[in-house]
Amino acid sequence: MTADGIVGEFLALKSETDADLLAMQCGDFYEFFAEDAEFVGDELDLKVSEKSSHGSTYPMAGVPVDDLTPYLKALVERGYRVAVADQYETEDGHAREITRVVTPGTLLETTDPAAQFLATITVVDGRYGLALADVTTGEFLVTTADAVADVLAECHRFDPVEVVPGPTVDADALDRIREDIDATVTDHDESAFAPGRAKRTLREQFGEAALDSVGLDDRAGVAAAGALLTYVEETGVGVLDAMTRLQAYDPSDHLNLDATTQRNLELIETMHGDSEGSLLGTVDHTVTSAGRRRLREWLTRPRRDRAVIDRRLDSVAALTEAALARDRVREILGDAYDLERLAARATSGSADASDLLAVRDTLALLPTLADAIDDSRLADSPLAAIVDRPDREAAESLQSELDEALADDPPGTVTEGGLFQRGYDDELDSLLDQYESAREWLDGLAAREKDRTGITHLQVDRNKTDGYYIQVGKSETDGVPEEYREIKTLKNSRRYTTAELDEREREVLRLEEARGELEYDLFCELRERVAARADLLQTVGRTLATVDALASLATHAASQDWCRPSVVEPGPLVVEAGRHPVVETTTDFVPNDVELRDDRGFLLVTGPNMSGKSTYMRQAALIVLLAQAGSFVPARSATVGVVDGIYTRVGALDELAGGRSTFMVEMSELSNILHSATEDSLVVLDEVGRGTATYDGISIAWATTEYIHNEIGCKCLFATHYHELTALADHLPRVANVHVAVAGDGDDEDITFLRTIEEGPTNRSYGVHVAELAGVPSPVVDRSRDVLDRLREDRAIEARGAESETETTQAVFDLSGGEFGESDAAESDGGELDPATESVLTELEETSVAETSPVDLMARVREWQERLGEGEK
Ligand code: ADP
């Protein structure tokens, strides 16, 4: 079906764009037609009416021109891309064209203070290029990676809202990107990713010298960054000028945190997707949104360079000690507006007068902040250098330029005057003089006319339809002079005008219009001058954000009594009285020590379920992460050897993955860790092999321990319910056992978790112990212990990597694992069970304690004992 008229125009424009929706201006409204109208009707609850066009009818939904922004935001934040066609005047009426395409990654109007990254991904010569830009702040980064997993890990740190993959990204990688990253995936002009074209685009934006200094010789990085610029330009948001610098970074400057680990450690949000209860949610005391963005960046991208870490720690230490100065600094920062965002609003031409006032007032904070630092105990800290970094003179001159220009309380529109102060522009001043004298004449008119005519009920006023008029009460209309011309009769009065009043009115209107136009021009010029200093605004903005983030870390450290970690490279991890940074805020936390040294780099952590194993290991990982982010840590003292990465996997039952079996997920995470971790990494394993049969599980856990100990040689914390693994500590030199202490002997009704970590393995099998507590008759419990001991004696496996390779150690298949299969056991290592024992064990396994009465149970156990006695003969 083809359509003519306005709907035809809409459909023609729609076919030009690959956006999901089109909003087309029709006079004072933006309209959606046809399918788009029905769609937005549903999504946004807009009223859908019918539009007849040349014999057909089409659904139509519209929003007033001035109200488009919130609707656009709502659509784009739901992941849709919306093209906007604006109307313009032509000689014969008007025409329309698409002026911009608003997409999740290029939405400038966002009110969400979090960073909003757009990512482009491409592959050149087998390498991945990844570019990331936040158009709302002008931040623009590029890097390269060898594998798609690394690209995904980087993406997780930045959490982009929109990803634009290039044509060279293969289907498998594309699937993983779609699956793993919660972002709108957009196709874009393939040619933009061509390295030659991309390089030209970058050169145009940043100049040759800037490109060289970034050292972008990697074609994949160039292609991704160039394509990103083209994409931003094509969407027409007008922020290219805010993208003042391109920062190439090497992921190896930062702590490796794969996507799973970032999720497991609940850095930004909890497993349930809440920000409360995450690390950031807990330690964030920033007072500006830019500060929060900076803190988020530090926590997701901790550093590896000890010098950088120490410098940050120096600032945090100084701020922690100087409480008064810290409060003063935070109070000053509390008045700051988001300068990076304001820079983007200035360059895109969307900043209004109050935005420029916000720029002025925030620039003015810089010297105030510098003075507060210089006059306090912070004077000798690196903070003094941090606030000195921006060009203070340039900031001051822009600030005073704005101060001299702008009126104190400007209106919300920029087209109707009232924006500037007297003395800013001669032409404007003369217009204002004329305007004021015209207004004075008008203001005095009523009094003069009363005097002249003797009419008492006379007033001069103005409204939209009548313009200026003289209003006279009905009782006195007989006495009006003859030059009064009546324009309206009301119930109690009449309105008049005069030739002179008409002329003055025309003058006022002309002056108002001229003033509006002149002020608008002056404002645009001023805004462009501000836009030209986008880099200055960004530098000052980042400086304030950095100080805010540092002060936030110090505030938390002071309030929670955290300590400065001693960061060494390379070195052990020694934590005295450490706590979990999040759990300690809601629980009466029992502090624990952690000690991972060269000669005991691998801790096997045992203890019953819910005793605190997982918390203990996460606490260790988070202490390392916080230290490398430049933060104090929750401990009495801590020595943190710099690691190159933290890798974690948590219990299979804790995490559900769509589609794949949890055991498959568990194993692919393990595989990733065993491939990626190096000697300098920290690995945290919370149960391995739990998602499969006991034999399988313990075998994998066993072999994993050996591999990490012998081949990788990294620091490792491994919690396991396979109590049997603890025997490995006697044979592998770097493996040590720790366990979570439990109070209560077998006679107690319940076990009390003490939450204290102690040296050595757990001293009992909790499976049998729990059976006992549950009231399983003592003959069964006793016999279970017996069987367990026997099995232990029987199942000896040699520990690889043991000092003497021929040494053997015990591995017993845990009864509590529920996968007891003694016929397999017999096959697997030749242990011989006589048929009588075998049949007893089978029956033992099959007996349902819950469904058997105690008397029956006792009888059966007695019978089993007899049969076993026979078997032994
Ligand atoms: P596990 O990994 O052994 O099953 P978790 O680490 O999940 O146990 O801990 C179980 C519960 O104990 C959690 O609710 C946790 O908050 C609490 N907990 C753990 N360690 C401590 C501690 N040191 N002090 C206080 N509470 C703790």
Side-chain angles (χ1 to χ4, degrees):
M1 179 171 60
T2 59
D4 296 315
I6 198 127
V7 182
E9 199 178 336
F10 179 90
L11 295 176
L13 281 173
K14 182 81 198 282
S15 69
E16 275 175 23
T17 170
D18 59 5
D20 303 310
L21 298 160
L22 171 66
M24 183 173 91
Q25 188 184 3
C26 302
D28 292 338
F29 281 81
Y30 280 100
E31 301 284 2
F32 299 87
F33 290 105
E35 284 172 2
D36 288 15
E38 284 173 342
F39 184 81
V40 296
D42 280 352
E43 283 280 322
L44 303 181
D45 247 353
L46 276 180
K47 190 171 170 309
V48 181
S49 55
E50 298 229 305
K51 168 80 182 169
S52 301
S53 185
H54 297 256
S56 311
T57 56
Y58 298 89
M60 168 172 99
V63 295
V65 164
D66 290 339
D67 290 346
L68 181 66
T69 305
Y71 288 101
L72 270 184
K73 254 187 65 185
L75 288 169
V76 170
E77 281 169 357
R78 281 169 217 199
Y80 304 110
R81 303 165 68 243
V82 188
V84 179
D86 286 312
Q87 181 175 310
Y88 58 94
E89 304 299 320
T90 61
E91 276 177 11
D92 35 40
H94 36 247
R96 297 170 183 96
E97 67 178 5
I98 293 178
T99 46
R100 59 183 185 139
V101 179
V102 189
T103 76
T106 60
L107 177 71
L108 200 58
E109 292 88 352
T110 179
T111 42
D112 181 353
Q116 174 193 279
F117 279 102
L118 162 73
T120 51
I121 303 173
T122 186
V123 184
V124 180
D125 307 331
R127 277 181 76 72
Y128 283 89
L130 170 68
L132 294 139
D134 178 352
V135 300
T136 70
T137 63
E139 184 157 21
F140 187 14
L141 302 149
V142 60
T143 195
T144 51
D146 289 323
V148 69
D150 300 332
V151 172
L152 295 178
E154 286 307 303
C155 279
H156 269 273
R157 298 187 206 253
F158 292 92
D159 194 19
V161 291
E162 183 175 8
V163 175
V164 185
T168 48
V169 177
D170 68 60
D172 279 353
L174 208 55
D175 282 347
R176 289 192 60 186
I177 290 167
R178 281 183 204 278
E179 214 174 276
D180 248 58
I181 305 174
D182 181 21
T184 301
V185 177
T186 308
D187 291 330
H188 176 49
D189 178 12
E190 296 190 356
S191 64
F193 285 91
R197 175 165 166 207
K199 190 159 198 161
R200 276 198 304 284
T201 313
L202 286 178
R203 199 177 285 137
E204 278 162 28
Q205 177 80 7
F206 299 109
E208 189 73 49
L211 265 196
D212 285 349
S213 67
V214 179
L216 264 188
D217 38 20
D218 202 314
R219 282 160 34 100
V222 167
L228 189 143
L229 283 180
T230 320
Y231 183 71
V232 171
E233 179 159 34
E234 280 175 14
T235 55
V237 277
V239 291
L240 275 196
D241 288 345
M243 303 184 58
T244 54
R245 65 197 119 182
L246 173 60
Q247 225 182 308
Y249 74 92
D250 181 348
S252 69
D253 289 344
H254 301 97
L255 186 67
N256 259 325
L257 292 169
D258 57 25
T260 316
T261 300
Q262 292 179 50
R263 269 195 300 265
N264 286 347
L265 292 179
E266 306 191 306
L267 299 182
I268 303 306
E269 54 179 37
T270 63
M271 295 281 191
H272 305 295
D274 303 322
S275 88
E276 197 186 323
S278 68
L279 183 65
L280 178 64
T282 305
V283 304
D284 177 25
H285 304 276
T286 54
V287 292
T288 66
S289 33
R292 185 177 165 96
R293 291 198 298 270
R294 173 59 36 106
L295 185 59
R296 182 193 192 284
E297 181 200 318
W298 288 353
L299 295 183
T300 50
R301 306 175 72 208
R303 306 297 297 243
R304 279 195 221 172
D305 182 340
R306 200 170 65 100
V308 176
I309 297 168
D310 268 335
R311 213 174 313 133
R312 222 178 267 169
L313 280 170
D314 286 343
S315 297
V316 176
L319 281 160
T320 306
E321 281 155 27
L324 283 180
R326 181 177 75 236
D327 289 346
R328 175 77 189 116
V329 161
R330 296 179 71 220
E331 182 189 324
I332 295 168
L333 290 172
D335 292 332
Y337 294 91
D338 201 333
L339 272 185
E340 293 168 274
R341 290 246 164 123
L342 288 166
R345 289 176 63 80
T347 55
S348 70
S350 58
D352 64 15
S354 57
D355 287 332
L356 298 196
L357 282 181
V359 169
R360 177 195 73 180
D361 295 344
T362 310
L363 288 175
L365 297 178
L366 191 59
T368 317
L369 185 66
D371 288 349
I373 288 169
D374 285 343
D375 296 343
S376 73
R377 290 170 61 194
L378 302 172
D380 296 329
S381 73
L383 282 171
I386 292 174
V387 290
D388 246 4
R389 214 170 289 147
D391 182 342
R392 291 265 287 278
E393 250 169 55
E396 210 175 310
S397 100
L398 182 58
Q399 177 213 333
S400 52
E401 181 175 350
L402 291 169
D403 200 36
E404 281 157 25
L406 294 166
D408 275 340
D409 192 12
T413 63
V414 292
T415 48
E416 285 166 18
L419 306 171
F420 289 96
Q421 286 186 25
R422 284 285 189 147
Y424 176 65
D425 181 79
D426 291 345
E427 194 186 342
L428 178 61
D429 280 353
S430 113
L431 270 181
L432 288 174
D433 287 344
Q434 294 172 50
Y435 179 73
E436 268 161 28
S437 73
R439 285 295 301 259
E440 250 169 54
W441 185 90
L442 285 161
D443 289 347
L445 181 62
R448 286 197 305 275
E449 290 297 288
K450 278 183 188 171
D451 268 2
R452 185 169 75 90
T453 60
I455 300 173
T456 50
H457 292 101
L458 183 150
Q459 66 193 77
V460 173
D461 220 333
R462 178 191 199 182
N463 70 18
K464 270 226 170 81
T465 43
D466 302 331
Y468 281 98
Y469 54 79
I470 301 169
Q471 185 162 305
V472 177
K474 267 267 169 69
S475 58
E476 292 177 290
T477 49
D478 288 348
V480 301
E482 65 185 31
E483 68 270 22
Y484 274 29
R485 185 161 50 79
E486 188 181 330
I487 51 173
K488 197 176 237 167
T489 305
L490 304 170
K491 200 165 151 220
N492 297 317
S493 58
R494 285 193 178 144
R495 285 180 184 170
Y496 305 90
T497 180
T498 68
E500 196 181 11
L501 181 58
D502 280 348
E503 196 184 309
R504 293 287 182 167
E505 177 176 356
R506 278 196 296 277
E507 161 131 7
V508 165
L509 289 177
R510 184 183 64 75
L511 288 169
E512 279 176 352
E513 194 178 315
R515 175 188 178 183
E517 277 170 16
L518 177 59
E519 287 207 27
Y520 180 69
D521 288 348
L522 289 172
F523 183 78
C524 290
E525 282 167 21
L526 182 64
R527 185 166 60 193
E528 272 161 33
R529 284 202 298 282
V530 173
R533 308 310 318 266
D535 58 342
L536 174 70
L537 302 194
Q538 289 164 349
T539 311
V540 177
R542 279 172 205 169
T543 299
L544 300 179
T546 301
V547 178
D548 191 12
L550 290 167
S552 169
L553 289 176
T555 303
H556 196 77
S559 73
Q560 299 294 320
D561 203 15
W562 286 13
C563 76
R564 176 177 182 154
S566 146
V567 177
V568 292
E569 189 181 19
L573 173 65
V574 182
V575 180
E576 205 194 332
R579 283 111 56 198
H580 187 293
V582 178
V583 180
E584 73 160 335
T585 60
T586 52
T587 318
D588 198 4
F589 200 86
V590 179
N592 274 307
D593 298 347
V594 184
E595 211 183 313
L596 288 167
R597 300 181 180 278
D598 269 355
D599 54 351
R600 53 172 268 155
F602 193 121
L603 294 187
L604 273 169
V605 187
T606 43
N609 269 344
M610 290 303 284
S611 61
K613 301 183 295 296
S614 154
T615 308
Y616 176 70
M617 295 193 304
R618 282 157 192 260
Q619 147 190 338
L622 287 171
I623 285 174
V624 172
L625 183 137
L626 281 166
Q628 292 192 219
S631 168
F632 277 25
V633 298
R636 186 178 321 129
S637 77
T639 300
V640 176
V642 171
V643 299
D644 63 2
I646 299 178
Y647 300 90
T648 65
R649 92 144 304 282
V650 299
L653 304 177
D654 298 354
E655 199 189 8
L656 295 172
R660 287 188 292 174
S661 87
T662 49
F663 183 62
M664 187 63 191
V665 172
E666 182 186 336
M667 286 302 111
S668 56
E669 285 178 7
L670 180 65
S671 151
N672 180 42
I673 294 173
L674 297 181
H675 279 116
S676 313
T678 75
E679 194 187 351
D680 299 323
S681 311
L682 170 64
V683 169
V684 170
L685 299 172
D686 193 352
E687 301 287 4
V688 164
R690 200 169 187 177
T692 185
T694 304
Y695 276 17
D696 271 3
I698 199 166
S699 314
I700 294 168
W702 184 281
T704 297
T705 307
E706 286 179 347
Y707 185 81
I708 291 177
H709 178 270
N710 302 338
E711 306 297 326
I712 303 179
C714 60
K715 294 181 179 126
C716 181
L717 289 160
F718 186 174
T720 180
H721 73 295
Y722 295 125
H723 181 250
E724 294 67 29
L725 287 193
T726 58
L728 278 170
D730 297 337
H731 302 279
L732 301 180
R734 294 177 60 252
V735 174
N737 283 311
V738 295
H739 67 278
V740 194
V742 169
D745 49 33
D747 299 333
D748 280 353
E749 275 296 296
D750 34 33
I751 301 178
T752 313
F753 297 137
L754 300 177
R755 315 283 184 213
T756 325
I757 298 290
E758 291 179 355
E759 292 292 311
T762 37
N763 56 3
R764 56 163 89 101
S765 165
Y766 285 95
V768 178
H769 184 65
V770 170
E772 185 173 12
L773 288 179
V776 173
S778 52
V780 177
V781 170
D782 292 347
R783 184 57 188 153
S784 300
R785 290 220 168 92
D786 240 27
V787 173
L788 195 58
D789 289 344
R790 289 273 303 280
L791 286 169
R792 263 193 197 130
E793 278 156 27
D794 285 354
R795 304 286 173 267
I797 297 173
E798 94 287 1
R800 285 219 185 122
E803 259 138 27
S804 137
E805 287 282 338
T806 54
E807 269 186 81
T808 55
T809 183
Q810 291 176 345
V812 179
F813 298 98
D814 190 344
L815 286 170
S816 65
E819 291 280 344
F820 191 79
E822 101 272 10
S823 56
D824 285 4
E827 268 167 35
S828 65
D829 64 356
E832 274 167 36
L833 283 178
D834 60 79
T837 310
E838 202 170 313
S839 70
V840 168
L841 288 175
T842 308
E843 282 171 41
L844 170 62
E845 190 193 14
E846 285 167 358
T847 300
S848 161
V849 176
E851 289 165 17
T852 316
S853 73
V855 178
D856 283 354
L857 271 176
M858 270 160 69
R860 276 195 214 183
V861 170
R862 201 164 294 132
E863 185 209 322
W864 290 333
Q865 281 174 333
E866 279 162 15
R867 278 159 55 191
L868 285 172
E870 279 164 23
E872 271 165 12
K873 275 176 206 152

